[in-house]
Amino acid sequence: QVQLAESGGGLVQAGGSLRLSCAASGSIFRANAMGWYRQAPGKQRELVAAVTRGGSTDYGDSVKGRFTISADNAKNTVYLQMNSLKPEDTAVYYCNARLLATNLYEYEYWGQGTQVTVSS
């Protein structure tokens, strides 16, 4: 059984900051890659940011320069520091993880989502 525990969402004013965390636990050997996606009402889910175990990062164009993703490999945890938040960042943010299980197969998992609301 694998769980992704998300935390850190909430309500913030435009220009403010939030930090999201996602910790993977259970029958896993290690996290190969973790990241965040978001989905706003009426829109498709989109990549926010992702990081591989080796430290390579990828960002959605709309968050470059404002958001920073980082990971603690020992804790199988990923963090998303969100600065200079805008109302258009309002969405449900989902943690995504590609995890190497104890059977040495890689599986993809999604968190339940955490709401981020940015007021103008």
Side-chain angles (χ1 to χ4, degrees), residues 10-11 19 22 24 26 58 80 84 87 90 92 97 99 102 109 112 114 120:
L11 173 64
R19 188 186 193 219
C22 174
D58 191 18
L80 183 68
S84 302
T90 295
V92 177
L99 306 176
T102 51
Y109 295 92
Q112 291 188 332
T114 184
S120 57

Side-chain angles (χ1 to χ4, degrees), residues 39-82:
Q39 188 166 19
K43 295 188 176 182
Q44 289 189 334
R45 190 173 296 190
E46 63 175 1
L47 172 71
V48 177
V51 60
T52 68
R53 184 173 182 81
S56 297
T57 58
D58 191 18
Y59 292 92
D61 288 341
S62 63
V63 306
K64 287 178 181 177
R66 299 188 297 123
F67 292 10
T68 302
I69 193 167
S70 61
D72 184 332
N73 290 335
K75 296 181 179 179
N76 293 319
T77 299
V78 64
Y79 307 96
L80 183 68
Q81 180 65 43
M82 304 185 292

Side-chain angles (χ1 to χ4, degrees), residues 18-29:
L18 283 174
R19 188 186 193 219
L20 304 183
S21 300
C22 174
S25 63
S27 302
I28 58 176
F29 182 64

Side-chain angles (χ1 to χ4, degrees), residues 86-99:
K86 305 175 181 180
E88 50 263 44
D89 293 318
T90 295
V92 177
Y93 284 68
Y94 296 92
C95 179
N96 174 269
R98 289 193 283 116
L99 306 176

